[in-house]
């Protein structure tokens, strides 16, 4: 439509402006794209927060998984183009004069572009972190504390917006999103996170609840995909476009396909469900050691170190089904390690040293 073409062509002008005038900040912007990467939620933010505060850690995974699932459904409904292929296929530019957009190794995402998954994932997780941090300061009652709470409030929300804007600018700079797609992502993420501020039930969810939720998310997404396929609408329409217009075939990553994200999230969710309802978790994280700062610090250090090792494990991508199965298992292993395995090992270690001391 003419309106969308106008929106997209204006977006292209913004991208060109950023690529031309903010060239010097390229490394910073690439880094911010990694900060906003939804995969970091499981390997960095979650292990950190879960040991500091299990309520926040648990909420973070729920918000990340449900948020990313909504992101996938929205992407399938909205059919959003990505700038790096749109400029080549748009009919509004006379022959051979389509604008030149530079591409980077992280540009060639293969899913549809709207809303931005990075912007949405980043905003929903940072929203959870900021509201969690502020919930501590709300409890202070005397006069000076009120002022301090207001200052903390202003500071944390300023940080929140600086990070969101940086992530958004970085996604636009690398030509993987139009400006309206990142803006939509940020607000969609905040709405999902806010919804979970009012659902305390997730804290006491049983393994059955986790499995039911997982099955619902999977069956709904797969059903949606198959129904539209029957109607002759291919929801993977963006993958051939990405392959056709990406400047370097090596930059195309199966990790960015719509189903790869779904499988990764369902795996993480399943792992969290098993972990939180396991004996290991109850023994270690609910035991007498759990109050000790040393226990928490050891758990954080060990979790982060172990998860970095997981990131070194590269899953073979030549067979798609095998990739999905292994991706699910790897994603499930991550929260399971953070929630059950690492705390249990640290707990056992501390118990043996306590016995020796006594």
């Amino acid at each position: 439509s003419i309106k969308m073409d106008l929106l997209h062509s204006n977006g292209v002008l913004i991208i060109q402006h950023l690529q031309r005038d903010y060239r010097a900040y390229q490394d910073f912007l690439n880094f911010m794209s990694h900060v906003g990467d939804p995969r970091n939620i499981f390997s960095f933010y979650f292990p950190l927060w879960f040991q500091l505060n299990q309520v926040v850690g648990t909420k973070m995974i729920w918000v990340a998984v449900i948020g990313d699932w909504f992101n996938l459904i929205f992407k399938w409904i909205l059919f959003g183009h990505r700038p790096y292929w749109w400029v080549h296929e748009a009919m509004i530019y006379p022959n051979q004069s389509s604008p030149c957009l530079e591409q980077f190794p992280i540009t060639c995402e293969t899913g549809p572009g709207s809303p931005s998954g990075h912007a949405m994932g980043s905003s929903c997780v940072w929203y959870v972190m900021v509201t969690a941090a502020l919930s501590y300061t709300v409890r202070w009652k005397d006069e000076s504390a009120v002022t301090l709470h207001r200052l903390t409030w202003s500071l944390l929300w300023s940080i929140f917006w600086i990070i969101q804007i940086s992530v958004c600018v970085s996604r636009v700079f690398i030509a993987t999103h139009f400006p309206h797609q990142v803006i939509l992502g940020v607000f969609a993420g905040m709405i999902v996170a806010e919804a979970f501020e009012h659902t305390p039930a997730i804290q006491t969810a049983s393994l059955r609840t986790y499995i039911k939720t997982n099955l619902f998310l999977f069956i709904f997404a797969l059903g949606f995909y198959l129904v539209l396929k029957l109607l002759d609408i291919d929801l993977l329409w963006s993958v051939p476009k990405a392959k056709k217009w990406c400047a370097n075939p090596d930059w195309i990553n199966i990790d960015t396909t719509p189903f790869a994200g779904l499988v990764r999230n369902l795996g993480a969710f399943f792992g969290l469900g098993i972990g939180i309802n396991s004996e290991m978790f109850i023994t270690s994280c609910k035991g007498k050691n759990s109050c000790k700062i040393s226990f928490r610090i050891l758990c954080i250090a060990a979790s982060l170190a172990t998860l970095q090792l997981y990131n070194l494990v590269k899953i073979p991508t030549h067979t798609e089904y095998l990739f999905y199965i292994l991706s699910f298992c790897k994603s499930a292993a991550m929260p399971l390690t953070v929630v059950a395995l690492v705390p249990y090992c640290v707990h056992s270690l501390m118990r043996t040293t306590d016995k020796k001391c006594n």
Side-chain angles (χ1 to χ4, degrees):
S1 72
I2 298 170
K3 275 182 183 164
M4 283 314 282
D5 280 347
L6 190 66
L7 189 62
H8 286 138
S9 56
N10 283 327
V12 168
L13 293 175
I14 293 172
I15 296 168
Q16 285 182 305
H17 164 65
L18 287 174
Q19 290 189 347
R20 191 177 57 241
D21 297 349
Y22 293 89
R23 198 62 230 213
Y25 302 103
Q26 185 187 331
D27 293 339
F28 168 72
L29 291 170
N30 277 340
F31 169 72
M32 286 315 293
S33 252
H34 290 299
V35 169
D37 191 332
R39 283 170 288 201
N40 286 338
I41 297 168
F42 306 123
S43 59
F44 185 71
Y45 298 131
F46 170 66
L48 210 62
W49 273 92
F50 188 79
Q51 304 304 347
L52 294 173
N53 184 330
Q54 282 155 17
V55 173
V56 181
T58 308
K59 190 195 293 174
M60 191 177 277
I61 294 263
W62 277 80
V63 166
V65 168
I66 306 287
D68 214 43
W69 182 82
F70 272 118
N71 182 261
L72 174 69
I73 303 295
F74 284 145
K75 277 181 169 163
W76 278 349
I77 294 170
L78 295 173
F79 283 87
H81 288 277
R82 289 185 185 271
Y84 76 92
W85 75 58
W86 182 83
V87 286
H88 297 290
E89 301 202 337
M91 294 302 182
I92 62 167
Y93 300 109
N95 47 349
Q96 309 308 316
S97 75
S98 63
C100 178
L101 293 184
E102 194 178 342
Q103 293 182 24
F104 301 88
I106 50 174
T107 296
C108 302
E109 300 243 346
T110 53
S114 190
S116 158
H118 277 63
M120 195 163 163
S122 168
S123 78
C124 70
V125 166
W126 280 92
Y127 191 93
V128 169
M129 292 197 277
V130 169
T131 47
L134 287 175
S135 69
Y136 283 110
T137 61
V138 169
R139 300 181 195 133
W140 304 334
K141 286 282 178 269
D142 55 351
E143 259 325 292
S144 60
V146 174
T147 321
L148 194 59
H149 171 67
R150 282 184 189 148
L151 277 173
T152 318
W153 190 93
S154 311
L155 177 71
L156 290 178
W157 283 116
S158 304
I159 292 171
F160 172 86
W161 283 110
I162 290 167
I163 289 169
Q164 300 328 311
I165 291 165
S166 305
V167 169
C168 290
V169 170
S170 80
R171 302 306 287 163
V172 175
F173 174 83
I174 60 171
T176 201
H177 283 296
F178 288 104
H180 68 277
Q181 297 173 340
V182 287
I183 293 167
L184 193 62
V186 169
F187 288 106
M190 288 171 73
I191 291 168
V192 171
E194 180 55 38
F196 276 92
E197 293 293 312
H198 311 287
T199 42
I202 59 171
Q203 298 301 333
T204 51
S206 62
L207 184 56
R208 279 186 62 180
T209 309
Y210 277 93
I211 292 171
K212 279 182 187 165
T213 311
N214 236 347
L215 283 171
F216 169 77
L217 296 177
F218 178 69
I219 291 164
F220 187 96
L222 190 67
F224 191 71
Y225 172 77
L226 293 173
V227 165
L228 287 178
K229 207 176 168 84
L230 285 174
L231 298 172
D232 240 19
I233 300 169
D234 180 22
L235 290 178
L236 300 180
W237 61 274
S238 56
V239 181
K241 284 190 191 296
K243 287 180 174 164
K244 182 177 178 186
W245 295 113
C246 187
N248 180 343
D250 297 340
W251 294 347
I252 297 277
N253 193 343
I254 189 172
D255 245 14
T256 65
T257 57
F259 278 116
L262 180 69
V263 169
R264 195 168 51 237
N265 286 319
L266 296 182
F269 196 61
F270 185 59
L272 178 71
I274 293 177
I276 274 194
N277 292 288
S278 69
E279 279 302 313
M280 282 182 172
F281 169 72
I282 293 159
T283 311
S284 52
C285 292
K286 300 279 184 223
K288 63 176 195 307
N289 274 334
S290 62
C291 305
K292 295 180 183 168
I293 298 287
S294 54
F295 173 75
R296 293 185 175 188
I297 290 174
L298 277 171
C299 285
I300 290 174
S303 299
L304 290 173
T306 318
L307 295 186
Q308 292 319 306
L309 294 177
Y310 281 170
N311 286 338
L312 297 176
V313 178
K314 290 286 172 262
I315 299 172
T317 53
H318 47 80
T319 326
E320 212 161 319
Y321 290 109
L322 181 68
F323 169 79
Y324 288 142
I325 292 166
L326 291 176
S327 180
F328 181 87
C329 296
K330 179 181 167 181
S331 299
M334 290 170 94
L336 193 55
T337 304
V338 174
V339 172
L341 298 175
V342 167
Y344 187 72
C345 294
V346 172
H347 172 75
S348 308
L349 203 92
M350 287 177 87
R351 218 175 41 199
T352 42
T353 47
D354 281 353
K355 276 182 186 165
K356 277 180 191 161
C357 294
N358 294 339

